[in-house]
Amino acid sequence: MMKYNLPILTIFMSLLVLVSCKETKNNVVQNKTSALKAGYEIEPVNIQNVKLTDSFWLPIIKRVQEVTIEYAIKKCDEEGRFENFLIAGKQKTGTTRGDMPFDDTDVYKIIEGASNTLISAPNPKLERVLDSMIAIVKIGQEPDGYITTWRTINPAKPPAPWVPVIEGKRWESLQISHELYNPGHLIEVAIVHYEATGKTNFLDIAIKAADMLVRTFGDNPGQVKGVPGHQIVETGLLKLYQITGKEDYLKLAKYYLDNRGNPNNHKLYGEYAQDHMPVIEQKEAVGHAVRAVYMYAGMTDIVALTKDKAYENAVNTIWNNMVNKKMYITGGIGSRHDGEAFGANYELPNLTAYNETCASNW
C-alpha cells in the first residue's frame, strides 16, 4: 500500500486543482505506437504489450511502486526539486533549491521509471500522483516553452558556481548550463509516459518545449547558433519526430549533431564533450562517457531514419573502437573516475574501473 507523506500529497492535490491534468487530444500525435519503431529494420515490441505476471519480477515491480518510488518522491520533496518548479511558476517565493543545474531531471526520471511500472502493475493511485507531478512541472514552464527552473528563478545566480554568468541570458553558457540537457530528458520521459499511459498531459509540455527549441536554434537571422554541452536532447527530438511526424524535430537534432566540432558555429568545447571535430570524422570513443553514448545513440537514430552514409560509417567505426578496445567484459564503459570518461585504447583497470551505469545502459 503506497503511503505518501502528507506534505507531498498536499502539494500534489492542491496542484491538481490549479492545473488540469486531464487527457487532451493533441492533433500532432499520430497513431499510438512505439517511439523506437520507425526507421529500424528490427521492430521492438511495444512496451504496452509486455506484461509480467510471474512470481519473481511482478512482486519486485510492485515493491518498486510501493517503496522505491515513494522514497524517491520523498527525497525530491526534501531537496526542493518540486519547489523549484513552483518558484519558477511564481506559485511560491524563494531561491533555487539544490546545487546542480540539472536537478530538474530528478523529477523527470522518477516519472519515467514509475510510468514503466504501470504497464505490468496498474496502479491508479500512483498514476494520479504522476499526474500531480506533471502538473508541478507544467507550472515551471515559461509561456514560450522554455523550461530550466534555476534560470527562470534567477538567471544571474546559477545553483553551481561553475556555471558562468555573462549577461544572465538564456543559452549564453551552453557548454555547462544544461539548458538543453534538461528539456532533452523531459522530452524522452514524456514519450515514455505517453506510451505507458496513453495520456498526453506530459507530452504536451514536451512538444511546447521542443517547438521553442525549433524556433530558437539555427542559422537563420535572429536564431541562436550552438550545440548542447551535454548531449541528450538529440535523441529526445528524434523520438518526438517519430511520434509526431514533425520533421522540424529531426532537422534540429541533426543540426545539433552536424555542428558539433564546427568552430564557425560556436566556440568548441573540446574532446571531453566530443566537440573537437565533426561527428562524421570521429573514429574513437572519447571524453565523458555519458555525453558520448547519448551522442552516439542520436547518430545511430539519424542513420536509421535518414540512411546517412557518413553517419553510418562514423558510428560503425566508433562502435568497433568502443567494443573492441574500451569495453569491459561486463559491458561496462568509461574507465576513468577522473571526468567519468573513456580512457585510452585498452586502458581498462580493474580495481579503479568507473563504468557509470547510465553510460553502460546505452
Side-chain angles (χ1 to χ4, degrees), residues 23 32 48 115 118-119 127 130-131 192-201:
E23 249 182 275
K32 198 164 182 304
Q48 282 204 326
S115 296
L118 293 172
I119 297 165
E127 193 167 336
L130 295 187
D131 284 341
V192 171
H193 177 263
Y194 164 66
E195 290 205 304
T197 67
K199 296 180 177 180
T200 63
N201 50 336

Side-chain angles (χ1 to χ4, degrees), residues 304-360:
L305 295 170
T306 70
K307 312 305 178 188
D308 188 301
K309 293 301 294 185
Y311 271 71
E312 182 178 358
N313 292 336
V315 293
N316 284 336
T317 299
I318 295 169
W319 170 265
N320 287 329
N321 169 258
M322 183 173 67
V323 300
N324 292 324
K325 299 178 180 179
K326 298 193 176 187
M327 180 180 284
Y328 286 82
I329 194 170
T330 60
I333 54 175
S335 59
R336 292 182 180 175
H337 279 262
D338 184 16
E340 307 171 1
F342 286 104
N345 289 336
Y346 307 111
E347 183 186 335
L348 299 168
N350 290 327
L351 295 179
T352 60
Y354 188 71
N355 290 348
E356 184 171 6
T357 55
C358 63
S360 302

Side-chain angles (χ1 to χ4, degrees), residues 153-202:
I153 293 169
N154 187 350
K157 192 175 181 181
W162 35 264
V163 178
V165 175
I166 303 169
E167 298 180 40
K169 294 181 178 179
R170 293 180 185 177
W171 324 117
E172 67 182 12
S173 50
L174 274 176
Q175 179 175 359
I176 203 68
S177 68
H178 290 75
E179 287 174 273
L180 290 173
Y181 176 85
N182 293 333
H185 268 298
L186 181 149
I187 293 167
E188 288 211 321
V189 171
I191 291 170
V192 171
H193 177 263
Y194 164 66
E195 290 205 304
T197 67
K199 296 180 177 180
T200 63
N201 50 336
F202 204 8

Side-chain angles (χ1 to χ4, degrees), residues 67-310:
V67 179
T68 309
I69 293 170
E70 178 186 352
Y71 178 78
I73 291 173
K74 179 174 180 288
K75 290 304 293 183
C76 273
D77 186 47
E78 290 174 357
E79 299 296 326
R81 301 293 189 264
F82 301 119
E83 190 173 357
N84 283 339
F85 289 97
L86 301 180
I87 296 171
K90 296 184 170 43
Q91 293 289 330
K92 292 190 71 174
T93 59
T95 58
T96 303
R97 299 276 306 275
D99 299 320
M100 297 295 174
F102 46 81
D103 283 342
D104 293 353
T105 62
D106 289 350
V107 175
Y108 306 154
K109 301 306 285 186
I110 293 171
I111 295 172
E112 179 178 24
S115 296
N116 278 322
T117 71
L118 293 172
I119 297 165
S120 290
N123 187 321
K125 185 174 183 179
L126 176 58
E127 193 167 336
R128 289 194 298 271
V129 170
L130 295 187
D131 284 341
S132 301
M133 293 171 68
I134 292 165
I136 291 174
V137 171
K138 185 175 182 178
I139 285 173
Q141 186 172 40
E142 295 190 28
D144 69 348
Y146 181 88
I147 186 161
T148 287
T149 61
W150 72 260
R151 188 174 285 283
T152 301
I153 293 169
N154 187 350
K157 192 175 181 181
W162 35 264
V163 178
V165 175
I166 303 169
E167 298 180 40
K169 294 181 178 179
R170 293 180 185 177
W171 324 117
E172 67 182 12
S173 50
L174 274 176
Q175 179 175 359
I176 203 68
S177 68
H178 290 75
E179 287 174 273
L180 290 173
Y181 176 85
N182 293 333
H185 268 298
L186 181 149
I187 293 167
E188 288 211 321
V189 171
I191 291 170
V192 171
H193 177 263
Y194 164 66
E195 290 205 304
T197 67
K199 296 180 177 180
T200 63
N201 50 336
F202 204 8
L203 190 64
D204 290 341
I205 297 170
I207 289 172
K208 187 174 181 180
D211 287 344
M212 178 273 302
L213 296 178
V214 167
R215 294 192 304 270
T216 300
F217 286 89
D219 293 325
N220 295 321
Q223 289 187 303
V224 175
K225 293 183 177 182
V227 303
H230 194 311
Q231 302 92 315
I232 197 178
V233 70
E234 302 88 343
T235 52
L237 288 166
L238 290 166
K239 289 175 183 177
L240 193 58
Y241 159 67
Q242 291 169 281
I243 284 288
T244 65
K246 187 171 181 178
E247 290 195 8
D248 285 344
Y249 304 145
L250 169 64
K251 291 176 182 177
L252 180 58
K254 195 165 187 296
Y255 173 86
Y256 287 140
L257 290 167
D258 284 347
N259 283 289
R260 233 171 170 80
N262 178 9
N264 296 320
N265 178 266
H266 62 280
K267 184 179 178 180
L268 299 186
Y269 310 148
E271 184 176 280
Y272 182 74
Q274 300 79 38
D275 192 36
H276 54 303
M277 64 175 68
V279 296
I280 59 172
E281 296 176 13
Q282 296 187 30
K283 302 181 185 301
E284 182 178 353
V286 297
H288 186 260
V290 180
R291 284 173 167 84
V293 292
Y294 282 163
M295 186 181 86
Y296 305 151
M299 292 171 66
T300 304
D301 286 337
I302 291 292
V303 175
L305 295 170
T306 70
K307 312 305 178 188
D308 188 301
K309 293 301 294 185

